């Protein structure tokens, strides 16, 4: 009887000791989750401020250098997870264990994703800037134009009027020379142009209206219809791919931040509840 009683008391005492240790360790886990929550909240603040700079004050700017610098400056460092995993976490309620493990794992992946976004954003900055420059080059809405080709002589009777699609190069200013930097406040008189992307550059004067007619053989810059397809064509493939990749990454980060913040706050409450549980009496220390 004494032996059985001793075993029972020992088992009860051991369980009480583990129970009490689990309550103490709930504070360790809580502190780790709380630290991550604070970092993610700071990350969300940076994203919200960045949205205010975008269209309508609620969207991200493309290639936002200020946001990239802010994200790089954030101290996104996971707490000592080994300390968390070596605690009595696994003696806590199942939902707390599962939520803690998934939350900390996904937060760690988010931190890495943010750092990778910063690295890629810096790499893509040149391509993004080049795309915008093409749209704004020398005050023109696009970097493309057309040359109207009208056959002469007998060919004119059977040949249709054609518009040759060309790429614009450096502007030709009033001095008759091409200037890569533009013509300042004066409009260009013409442009270097080429029908093929890798072909030689030629020269063409800009078309000027003569009454209701436009002379053939002159350069007509294309206007810009801001449709996604046409914008991609004008900016070039490299810039377009960089834009899509940038916006996809930053929107994905934004969505994950919002999701993790919601789950993190809920997890904090659960861990607080475990930590606030009354301890059991035990003879064991």
């Amino acid at each position: 009887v004494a032996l059985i009683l001793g075993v029972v008391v020992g088992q009860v005492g051991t369980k009480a000791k583990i129970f009490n240790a689990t309550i103490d360790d709930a504070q360790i886990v809580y502190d780790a989750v709380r630290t991550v929550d604070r970092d993610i909240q700071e990350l969300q603040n940076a994203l919200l401020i960045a949205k205010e700079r975008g269209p309508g004050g609620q969207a991200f700017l493309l290639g936002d250098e200020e946001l990239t610098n802010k994200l790089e400056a954030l101290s996104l460092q996971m707490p000592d997870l080994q300390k968390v995993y070596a605690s009595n976490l696994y003696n806590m309620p199942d939902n707390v264990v599962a939520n803690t493990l998934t939350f900390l794992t996904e937060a760690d992946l988010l931190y890495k994703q943010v750092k990778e976004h910063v690295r890629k954003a810096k790499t893509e900055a040149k391509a993004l800037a080049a795309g915008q420059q093409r749209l704004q080059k020398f005050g023109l809405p696009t970097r493309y134009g057309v040359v109207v080709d009208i056959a002469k002589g007998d060919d004119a009777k059977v040949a249709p009027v054609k518009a040759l699609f060309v790429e614009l190069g450096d502007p030709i200013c009033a001095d008759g020379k091409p200037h890569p930097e533009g013509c300042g406040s004066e409009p260009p008189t013409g442009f270097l142009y080429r029908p093929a992307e890798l072909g030689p550059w030629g020269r063409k004067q800009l078309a000027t209206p003569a009454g209701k007619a436009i002379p053939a053989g002159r350069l007509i810059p294309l206007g810009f219809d801001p449709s996604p397809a046409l914008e991609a064509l004008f900016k070039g493939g490299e810039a377009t791919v960089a834009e899509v990749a940038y916006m996809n990454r930053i929107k994905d980060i934004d969505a994950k931040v919002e999701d993790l913040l919601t789950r993190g706050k809920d997890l904090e409450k659960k861990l607080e509840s475990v930590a606030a549980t009354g301890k059991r009496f035990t003879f064991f220390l």
Side-chain angles (χ1 to χ4, degrees), residues 27-43 75-81 84 103-104 107 111 261 264-265 267-268 271:
Q27 186 63 45
I28 295 175
V29 181
Y30 171 83
D31 290 341
V33 171
R34 177 61 177 161
T35 298
V36 172
D37 275 342
R38 284 199 297 263
D39 287 346
I40 296 179
Q41 181 63 67
E42 189 174 357
L43 172 56
S75 179
L76 299 178
Q77 185 67 39
M78 291 296 291
D80 187 356
L81 297 184
V84 173
F103 174 79
L104 293 177
Y111 288 4
L261 267 183
K265 298 299 182 184
L267 182 55
E268 280 187 40
L271 289 167

Side-chain angles (χ1 to χ4, degrees), residues 120-137:
K120 288 183 176 179
K122 289 186 173 183
T123 302
E124 295 162 346
K126 186 176 180 180
L128 293 173
Q132 292 302 317
Q133 288 172 1
R134 287 173 186 143
L135 291 181
Q136 302 168 359
K137 190 173 184 180

Side-chain angles (χ1 to χ4, degrees), residues 99-112:
N99 291 349
T100 300
L101 293 176
T102 55
F103 174 79
L104 293 177
T105 299
E106 291 179 24
D108 189 31
L109 291 174
L110 173 65
Y111 288 4
K112 292 175 182 176

Side-chain angles (χ1 to χ4, degrees), residues 4-265:
I4 294 174
L5 182 60
V7 171
V8 171
V9 171
Q11 289 177 342
V12 171
T14 300
K15 290 181 180 179
K17 181 180 178 180
I18 295 174
F19 181 85
N20 294 341
T22 301
I23 293 174
D24 291 335
D25 286 357
Q27 186 63 45
I28 295 175
V29 181
Y30 171 83
D31 290 341
V33 171
R34 177 61 177 161
T35 298
V36 172
D37 275 342
R38 284 199 297 263
D39 287 346
I40 296 179
Q41 181 63 67
E42 189 174 357
L43 172 56
Q44 187 183 56
N45 292 341
L47 294 172
L48 290 174
I49 292 173
K51 284 183 179 180
E52 293 177 358
R53 294 193 292 270
Q58 54 185 1
F60 292 108
L61 283 173
L62 181 62
D64 190 341
E65 184 178 356
E66 187 174 343
L67 174 58
T68 299
N69 293 336
K70 178 62 178 177
L71 294 179
E72 185 177 29
L74 292 176
S75 179
L76 299 178
Q77 185 67 39
M78 291 296 291
D80 187 356
L81 297 184
Q82 190 60 40
K83 189 176 180 180
V84 173
Y85 298 149
S87 71
N88 286 282
L89 167 66
Y90 305 100
N91 294 318
M92 297 179 195
D94 291 344
N95 65 329
V96 174
V97 176
N99 291 349
T100 300
L101 293 176
T102 55
F103 174 79
L104 293 177
T105 299
E106 291 179 24
D108 189 31
L109 291 174
L110 173 65
Y111 288 4
K112 292 175 182 176
Q113 184 178 359
V114 171
K115 292 174 183 177
E116 181 68 4
H117 169 74
V118 170
R119 184 188 69 79
K120 288 183 176 179
K122 289 186 173 183
T123 302
E124 295 162 346
K126 186 176 180 180
L128 293 173
Q132 292 302 317
Q133 288 172 1
R134 287 173 186 143
L135 291 181
Q136 302 168 359
K137 190 173 184 180
F138 313 119
L140 289 176
T142 75
R143 66 184 182 111
Y144 295 98
V146 294
V147 176
V148 178
D149 180 20
I150 302 177
K152 298 179 180 179
D154 294 338
D155 291 340
K157 299 177 182 179
V158 294
V161 176
K162 295 185 295 185
L164 183 63
F165 187 73
V166 298
E167 179 184 5
L168 304 183
D170 296 337
I172 298 173
C173 302
D175 60 3
K177 299 178 181 179
H179 291 263
E181 71 281 3
C183 300
S185 59
E186 297 294 325
T189 60
F191 276 86
L192 297 181
Y193 81 102
R194 58 184 180 186
E197 184 177 1
L198 300 179
W201 292 100
R203 295 188 180 204
K204 280 288 183 185
Q205 283 186 303
L206 286 173
T208 54
K212 295 183 178 180
I214 296 177
R218 298 291 181 88
L219 188 62
I220 305 173
L222 282 178
F224 180 60
D225 176 10
S227 65
L230 195 58
E231 184 173 344
L233 174 65
F234 290 154
K235 289 182 179 179
E238 185 181 4
T240 303
V241 170
E243 289 177 3
V244 172
Y246 179 93
M247 294 307 294
N248 284 345
R249 288 197 311 270
I250 201 65
K251 288 179 180 178
D252 186 46
I253 289 172
D254 187 43
K256 288 179 179 177
V257 165
E258 185 174 353
D259 176 60
L260 281 174
L261 267 183
T262 301
R263 289 161 52 194
K265 298 299 182 184

